[in-house]
Amino acid sequence: MNTLIDPFGRQISYLRLAVTDRCNLRCQYCMPEKGIDIVPRQELLTFKEMYRITRVLSELGVNKIRLTGGEPFVRKDFIGLVKSLSHNDRLDQINITTNGALVKDHISALEQLKVKSINLSIDSLQPEKFLRITRRDQFARVWEAYLELLKSSLQLKLNVVVQSGFNTDEIVDFVKLTEKEDISVRFIEEMPFNGKGLREVKENWDFNKILNHIGGSYDQFDPVESGKSSTSRNYRVKGYKGSFGIIPAFTRTICNDCNRIRITATGLFKNCLFDDGVFDLKEVLRSGASDDELKQVFIDTVSKKPRNGFEAEANRTIGGVSESMSTIGG
Ligand code: SF4
């Protein structure tokens, strides 16, 4: 079996696939209050195309997929896509990132499928702060979903984007959730994928600042073994059931073992989060390419994957990073 190896010997085995650019929240670190110019429906990949792309990539060694958005559950019959992907024997893991506002009613169906983990994006434990960050009054629904997910058989991770001036006062509250719950809370550095570009902030909450801040409240926490290509550096407070982690997404100290590629909801192939897209997969698909032709395109494209996110950003042709994360999928 051919596999996807990049110029630095990294094997690509993880696809992050965005199923829509639509979202029911308006998080300040992801898009402007007015939202983004969503694309016409026919510009979105169909579920059939997504299934085919995943099958062909799985024949090249991709065995893990994360379904993202926008908000994946906003797309009609999203569960249908998850069902079809669950039939792909080459996939070991199907994971989903959601903002939780629509997931509650689908939890029992997801438990029947090949879904291993749910990443719940929640940046505040306070309803009014949640409203300020997301510009939508959906805290109660998201919290209900959190409580239901805790009871489910699905692995649960919380994604918390650490935003200077918004939620840094809640970092320790989030860590406290791991005392009694076997969940993983991951703190993510804020990035400029917000429709405007790098936000001016008083304090730069990067990996070290977040870790030191937690160290100010806990004097005993131990590193937790994280998989080779894990994006998160994980720790467990002594005696706590769960763990917390920090994802240096903007300081980009995780690139050496990067095993990821991304495909946006419109079919843009990205070798790295920070590049501006390397080819239009939708055009190749809709021009009648065979599976073998598709495989060759994937192999050729991964052979140009940049060493790290800084190189990817430097090679951009459409200007600095500012596009909304809702158009990429995280
Ligand atoms: S910044 Fe790019 S190279 Fe680095 S981990 Fe992210 S996707 Fe991989």
Side-chain angles (χ1 to χ4, degrees), residues 30-211:
C30 177
M31 63 168 85
E33 180 145 16
K34 66 176 179 40
I36 57 168
D37 300 332
I38 53 174
V39 301
R41 205 160 288 288
Q42 66 275 18
E43 291 303 313
L44 294 175
L45 291 173
T46 64
F47 285 162
K48 207 159 163 244
E49 287 168 333
M50 290 179 185
Y51 179 80
R52 180 173 175 223
I53 291 166
T54 308
R55 176 178 55 70
V56 171
L57 282 169
S58 69
E59 290 165 8
L60 290 171
V62 168
N63 56 20
K64 178 179 173 184
I65 185 169
R66 174 166 299 285
L67 303 170
T68 67
E71 167 51 37
F73 288 95
V74 161
R75 188 150 177 187
K76 194 161 155 290
D77 194 27
F78 170 60
I79 285 284
L81 172 68
V82 182
K83 265 196 195 115
S84 62
L85 291 172
S86 296
H87 298 304
N88 180 338
D89 296 338
R90 293 172 189 273
L91 287 180
D92 301 335
Q93 284 190 40
I94 298 175
N95 304 309
I96 300 172
T97 298
T98 173
N99 63 29
L102 297 171
V103 73
K104 192 169 130 261
D105 303 339
H106 301 286
I107 294 172
S108 54
L110 294 172
E111 289 181 295
Q112 314 309 316
L113 302 173
K114 197 189 266 185
V115 175
K116 181 166 179 242
S117 83
I118 298 282
N119 285 27
L120 177 62
S121 302
I122 178 169
D123 306 302
S124 179
L125 300 171
Q126 303 164 10
E128 63 293 339
K129 180 95 66 63
F130 182 98
L131 175 59
R132 198 172 139 231
I133 292 171
T134 66
R135 299 134 168 172
R136 294 290 182 274
D137 193 9
Q138 294 281 329
F139 180 80
R141 286 173 75 102
V142 173
W143 192 248
E144 268 178 51
Y146 166 70
L147 297 174
E148 285 303 313
L149 285 164
L150 281 179
K151 288 186 256 170
S152 80
S153 59
L154 300 164
Q155 210 185 63
L156 179 57
K157 299 177 182 174
L158 301 188
N159 283 358
V160 182
V161 176
V162 177
Q163 303 150 62
S164 179
F166 282 90
N167 62 351
T168 54
D169 59 329
E170 295 186 68
I171 291 173
V172 173
D173 299 336
F174 274 106
V175 174
K176 278 208 187 101
L177 292 178
T178 68
E179 181 177 5
K180 299 207 169 49
E181 305 296 349
D182 184 10
I183 59 172
S184 168
V185 171
R186 296 112 56 81
F187 299 104
I188 306 173
E189 295 175 341
E190 186 175 351
M191 290 181 280
F193 294 99
N194 55 23
K196 292 173 292 195
L198 203 56
R199 190 168 67 94
E200 269 194 40
V201 291
K202 289 203 187 70
E203 298 171 296
N204 178 22
W205 282 83
D206 63 6
F207 179 94
N208 292 326
K209 187 169 177 67
I210 297 168
L211 191 61

Side-chain angles (χ1 to χ4, degrees), residues 10 249 252 254-255 258 260 262 271-274 305-309:
R10 299 173 295 194
R252 286 162 267 188
I254 48 177
C255 303
C258 181
R260 296 169 285 284
R262 288 170 170 82
N271 264 328
C272 169
L273 174 60
F274 287 83
K305 183 175 166 77
R307 180 186 296 280
N308 57 40

